[in-house]
Amino acid sequence: MNEPSERRSLASTRVTRAVAGLSTKLLLLTILFVMVAEVLVFVPSVSNFRRQWLMERLQAAQIASLAAEAAPGGRLPAKLRDDLLDRARVKAISVKHADSRSLIVQMDAPEQVDAAYDLRDASWADLIGDALMVYAAPDNRVIRVVGEPGFNPGEMVDVVMEEGPLKAAMLKYGLDILGLSILISIITATLVFLALDWLLVKPMTQLTRNMVRFAEQPEDPTRIIAPSKRRDEIGTAQRELAAMQNELSQTLSQKTRLAALGLAVSKISHDLRNMLSSAQLLSDRLAEVKDPTVQRLVPKLIASLDRAIRLCVHTLDFGQAQEAPPSRMRFELAPLVEEVGDSLGLPREGQIDWMRDLEEGLEVDADRDQLYRVLANLCRNAVQAFESEPGCVGTISVFARREGAVVMIDVADTGPGVPEQARDRLFQAFQSVARKGGSGLGLAISAELVKAHGGQIELVGNEGGATFRITIPDMVVELERARRRRA
């Protein structure tokens, strides 16, 4: 297995483990939180159980005290006394009325009291603390409990009792609560886990696996996730992921196409340079012909061949997608515009008029060959727009002026204009094709060349024909902008 495949396999394994870990953590955390909730319920419930148990003992003691008070002379036989105390599970009973206090009954030998509790004014915090203390206390403690059972209003009952039976009852109650809590926790945790697994974990698993699968072959459109119809955050994540994958897949496909195109261009440029060199030699021989027309056209032909050869060399030197940095100099713009018109055969009698309106002696600070390509691309697009409309007659105009340290050049035509569907991506490669058979590269190349000069190209008018504006600042201005960006 090669290294990329091993990385993908390891990534997939890590994702699977991460998802499994997420499910396990979700289940354990759900059980833990439910158990914490049960503990929060358990503590006050045990406290309440202890209070109720002690109140039952006080009520039983109060009933026993009524029987003792009804005995002749207020004295009970020893056997009956022990039987009443045993039924009430206490060792001594004392009753206090509004104005008196009397010991009703007690064992023969009073025992030492280890702790005393008053249920009349005990707070919830005291009751909870006393209940928890029962589990930690020795089994043979003797306690005293005071309270008002409520059979006779205003009557207070005071008993002495062993704490062992209370502790045993609380242990049994605690185990029952614990078992019920575990059962409730398991059921609740299972339901919560299944719900969260269906709502969150499984969709996240699908998202993660899709991302890993898409990463293995991002140019395959079948690996793009199919978003569900959910309207929550998961649905939004699925739709955004699908949109991102679509865009990335298209971008990679375009880059693959550009790479293949670049390789083809490099091969063509290599052979074309040799052909142009031969044509250049032939043009040098034409310069010896004494015909005036030949003498007028040969210098322009030689300049065009030189420019084409340099372009082929730059293509091979700088790669398929990168233009050479501009070699700027100040030159007069009018001869360059005339050269562009001659190369396109403008004007064309009865078809296309060729108008130039430039400030006299206007100079521009730019790379002459690159600016030639920009103007030639714009004017060629205008010519092709006329040619695409049979019988269409119009004018191509070039206007130029200087505003301070900036030269502004407008290339306008009276043709059909730029179609609506091409305006949004006008300067993107392969995206702005507005006519059948076009490559979609002319405006993209022009925009790149102008940007390299620190300038801007934009469509400023589309009514009655298209008007493109080129703005090129002088080199001093561009250097100052670069200095400010670095600062």
Side-chain angles (χ1 to χ4, degrees), residues 297-308:
L297 294 179
V298 164
K300 296 181 180 180
L301 176 60
I302 294 176
S304 296
L305 288 174
D306 289 341
R307 189 179 296 112

Side-chain angles (χ1 to χ4, degrees), residues 343-364:
S343 67
L344 295 174
L346 297 175
R348 299 181 185 181
E349 186 175 354
Q351 295 180 350
I352 305 174
D353 289 334
W354 175 235
M355 180 183 297
R356 286 88 66 204
D357 185 5
L358 287 71
E359 291 182 0
E360 185 175 355
L362 176 62
E363 292 187 346
V364 61

Side-chain angles (χ1 to χ4, degrees), residues 169-181:
M170 290 180 63
L171 287 173
K172 183 178 181 304
Y173 178 79
L175 291 175
D176 293 340
I177 291 293
L178 178 62
L180 181 62
S181 300

Side-chain angles (χ1 to χ4, degrees), residues 134-177:
V134 173
Y135 291 108
D139 296 339
N140 57 352
R141 281 208 317 172
V142 176
I143 62 174
R144 176 189 171 199
V145 182
V146 179
E148 296 180 353
F151 288 150
N152 293 325
E155 186 176 80
M156 182 189 71
V157 178
D158 186 345
V159 299
V160 176
M161 56 181 292
E162 292 181 348
E163 196 178 39
L166 172 61
K167 185 173 183 178
M170 290 180 63
L171 287 173
K172 183 178 181 304
Y173 178 79
L175 291 175
D176 293 340
I177 291 293

